[in-house]
Amino acid sequence: MKKKTKSILTGLGVAAAAGIGTSMVRAATTYKAKPVEAGEQLPPENVDLDRYINNLSKAIQIPTICNVDESLVDWSKFDEFHAFLKEAYPLIHEKLELQVISTRSLMYHWKSEHPEKEPIAMLAHQDVVPVTQGTEDDWTYPAFSGAVADGFVWGRGALDIKNHLIGVMEAVETLLEEGYVPERDIYLCFGHNEEVMAEGDACGATCMMKWFKERGIKLDSVIDEGGAILSVKVDKVIDGHLAGVGIAEKGHVDFEISVNAKGGHSSQPPKHSALGQLSKIVCNLENHQFKAELTPQLTSLFNEIGKSTSYPVRCVMSNFPILKPLITQVCANIPPVASMMRTTTAITMSNGSPAPNVLPQKASVVGNFRIMPGQTIEDVEAHIRKYAGPKAEVKLLAGKNPSKISPTDSRAFNVISKICKSMDPKAIVAPYLVMGGTDARQYEDVCDNIYRYSPFLMDTALLLTTHGTNERIPVSSLEDGVAFFKRYIRELTKD
């Protein structure tokens, strides 16, 4: 991966130099590479690391698995988790007001002496995804063991996101121990069914948002799970820590696309069966992708990264406006980058006849589309109909439009950036588009400043264990995670 990345970046630099010549080289000399400047130094924070490790391990040992069909959920595990939180964090349960919202979502309210000020909300979810059946023995340590070994805390939820939830609880408990008094109210909102993408009144996060809305409470800001701090190191190109702050989420929609035909016995087939006709439609859709564009968010991400790169990549960044068409073309052919530039098309399921010797009377596929902000489910349907043709049936199965885009000049975003840079001189703080879904989007009716960020440093390979085998988090990243949350609370509630 690193070799491929370096080749792509170097190729861009060479192409750029060839296209612009001496004027670009001259411009590049004014766009000097520089280490990210350390931010304002904040006072050190006390963190009870041993307690955090122990409590995270215990939290992982409780398999809080939800299901779209609530009759299949073992609610006793959620009750056990709630009892564990009460025992592990006595001051929180003594000083904060707690209520259960919806089925098992938790809302803690830390009151200040200034209820007139807009409060902040810190989000997480209690539920985790199940372990894929048949893969249990592939784990180095059992998935719900919470093992602390080899420099990691292992188990389902170690990254998604009991690390985040327990980190927030550790921060609040420690601040209470230190006698901290916030100047504005704080809410801790822990949903119970984020992983099953619950919607409407079944969604714990939605019910908590409605609780605020019904009382006329406008939130100053929301922080939820998001990208971790990723180590970005390509030899002789860049060496930094990318702290991506999610400012928006893509939408998602599933459409069924079908073709009807006469059917019959396979011994007398037509030139193209229903499945054959449908395959042409699939190819047509895949060959006519949505237009890829370098969004302002992606441009900002590239600019921030570019400031920390070496020549020749720095050449590209110094002339970004001139090279935008070239960069767009190159990036559109790199799937991970392209997914941040366009609404994506993925044909994921298919269905034909019930037997090998039967021509299908109806053939269908399901396409999953991840929608860019600025586009809608209706835009996706129009795109499908355009390239599928009049004979195809197009049926909406389920979906949700993209989230709003939060500003990058808000007090909350600036606080996140300030803390990151104060804690790490190699930090590269940049906004980005979240590919998946979080509970944060449910709060749009009561908050304009919604951010998705998890302050835990790791490499990309480790992040990919999320929802997979051997999910684990480095012990070395935990202390800074709690310190971040403590500073975040202090900075946003000190006035």
Side-chain angles (χ1 to χ4, degrees):
M1 176 63 75
K2 290 182 179 179
K3 184 176 181 181
K4 181 179 180 181
T5 303
K6 183 178 179 181
S7 298
I8 292 168
L9 294 173
T10 304
L12 279 171
V14 173
I20 300 179
T22 57
S23 64
M24 181 174 180
V25 174
R26 187 164 54 250
T29 62
T30 65
Y31 192 86
K32 297 183 181 298
K34 60 178 182 179
V36 178
E37 296 179 1
E40 173 188 343
Q41 291 302 300
L42 299 175
E45 292 288 353
N46 176 50
V47 175
D48 189 338
L49 183 58
D50 289 339
R51 183 178 68 186
Y52 184 16
I53 294 170
N54 183 55
N55 284 342
L56 177 56
S57 173
K58 289 180 178 179
I60 290 170
Q61 293 171 43
I62 307 171
T64 46
I65 300 169
C66 207
N67 194 296
V68 175
D69 183 351
E70 292 193 343
S71 68
L72 301 177
V73 179
D74 183 354
W75 293 115
S76 69
K77 298 302 181 184
F78 285 84
D79 295 336
E80 181 183 351
F81 186 68
H82 296 176
F84 154 71
L85 291 178
K86 185 175 182 179
E87 180 181 358
Y89 301 105
L91 277 181
I92 288 178
H93 289 82
E94 176 187 341
K95 303 291 186 181
L96 275 61
E97 187 177 281
L98 170 63
Q99 58 180 316
V100 178
I101 305 288
S102 181
T103 308
R104 291 297 191 285
S105 290
L106 300 178
M107 179 187 287
Y108 293 89
H109 182 192
W110 190 355
K111 295 181 179 180
S112 71
E113 295 182 356
H114 299 280
E116 75 280 1
K117 294 182 179 180
E118 292 183 346
I120 67 169
M122 304 179 74
L123 276 53
H125 60 84
Q126 307 165 57
D127 58 316
V128 299
V129 298
V131 175
T132 303
Q133 190 172 0
T135 68
E136 294 88 350
D137 292 338
D138 296 338
W139 286 69
T140 302
Y141 300 94
F144 293 102
S145 65
V148 181
D150 308 323
F152 298 93
V153 181
W154 299 71
R156 181 62 81 233
L159 294 176
D160 189 10
I161 63 166
K162 286 183 174 175
N163 61 320
H164 191 113
L165 189 154
I166 299 299
V168 169
M169 294 293 278
E170 285 290 330
V172 174
E173 184 80 3
T174 306
L175 286 170
L176 288 169
E177 291 169 347
E178 294 169 354
Y180 179 74
V181 179
E183 290 295 311
R184 68 176 68 222
D185 288 11
I186 302 168
Y187 287 90
L188 312 180
C189 301
F190 301 150
H192 69 275
N193 55 4
E194 189 269 354
E195 294 291 5
V196 298
M197 302 176 72
E199 295 289 346
D201 290 339
C203 176
T206 299
C207 291
M208 288 189 283
M209 180 278 294
K210 289 182 177 179
W211 185 91
F212 290 115
K213 191 172 183 179
E214 289 166 358
R215 289 157 181 77
I217 298 174
K218 181 80 171 178
L219 296 173
D220 170 82
S221 57
V222 163
I223 188 169
D224 194 7
E225 63 175 318
I229 307 171
L230 297 179
S231 179
V232 182
K233 187 171 184 178
V234 180
D235 188 35
K236 298 181 181 179
V237 175
I238 187 172
D239 183 8
H241 296 151
L242 178 59
V245 182
I247 61 172
E249 297 176 21
K250 294 184 86 171
H252 60 89
V253 64
D254 298 324
F255 277 101
E256 181 183 77
I257 307 163
S258 304
V259 171
N260 296 308
K262 186 177 180 181
H265 199 279
S266 62
S267 62
Q268 299 178 5
K271 183 177 181 181
H272 295 294
S273 67
L275 204 53
Q277 295 176 53
L278 187 59
S279 67
K280 290 185 176 182
I281 293 173
V282 170
C283 288
N284 208 25
L285 284 170
E286 292 183 338
N287 289 332
H288 292 86
Q289 298 283 337
F290 285 82
K291 184 179 179 181
E293 295 181 316
L294 282 175
T295 64
Q297 297 77 39
L298 193 56
T299 299
S300 177
L301 178 64
F302 283 172
N303 281 333
E304 291 300 320
I305 293 175
K307 293 174 185 177
S308 299
T309 58
S310 61
Y311 189 92
V313 178
R314 196 165 70 255
C315 290
V316 177
M317 302 315 301
S318 67
N319 288 271
F320 193 88
I322 300 173
L323 292 170
K324 192 172 182 178
L326 173 61
I327 295 173
T328 301
Q329 183 179 359
V330 172
C331 290
N333 288 291
I334 306 172
V337 184
S339 67
M340 294 188 285
M341 299 172 65
R342 63 156 63 101
T343 294
T344 55
T345 301
I347 306 300
T348 57
M349 302 171 69
S350 62
N351 189 40
S353 74
N357 61 344
V358 176
L359 295 170
Q361 291 181 291
K362 180 179 181 179
S364 62
V365 295
V366 173
N368 176 263
F369 301 82
R370 298 297 172 124
I371 313 168
M372 288 290 289
Q375 294 180 315
T376 65
I377 290 173
E378 290 74 21
D379 293 330
V380 174
E381 182 173 357
H383 178 87
I384 295 171
R385 292 189 183 278
K386 178 179 179 180
Y387 293 107
K391 293 184 178 180
E393 294 180 358
V394 180
K395 179 183 178 182
L396 171 64
L397 299 179
K400 189 174 182 68
N401 280 316
S403 74
K404 297 176 183 177
I405 300 174
S406 293
T408 56
D409 58 356
S410 69
R411 192 170 69 101
F413 186 92
N414 288 334
V415 162
I416 294 172
S417 179
K418 172 184 175 180
I419 297 172
C420 289
K421 291 177 180 178
S422 75
M423 294 179 67
D424 182 1
K426 295 171 70 175
I428 306 169
V429 183
Y432 84 106
L433 177 63
V434 177
M435 299 293 106
T438 71
D439 276 343
R441 70 159 61 197
Q442 310 294 350
Y443 289 80
E444 290 183 342
D445 284 359
V446 295
C447 188
D448 298 322
N449 306 309
I450 299 175
Y451 303 102
R452 303 145 182 94
Y453 177 67
S454 294
F456 301 96
L457 174 65
M458 64 194 70
D459 60 42
T460 305
L462 191 59
L463 190 63
L464 293 177
T465 65
T466 303
H467 287 200
T469 298
N470 285 332
E471 182 178 348
R472 62 198 186 277
I473 188 168
V475 169
S476 60
S477 73
L478 297 180
E479 184 171 353
D480 279 352
V482 177
F484 173 89
F485 287 131
K486 289 183 67 180
R487 288 172 172 141
Y488 179 85
I489 291 171
R490 289 187 195 275
E491 289 293 312
L492 283 179
T493 65
K494 66 183 180 181
D495 52 31

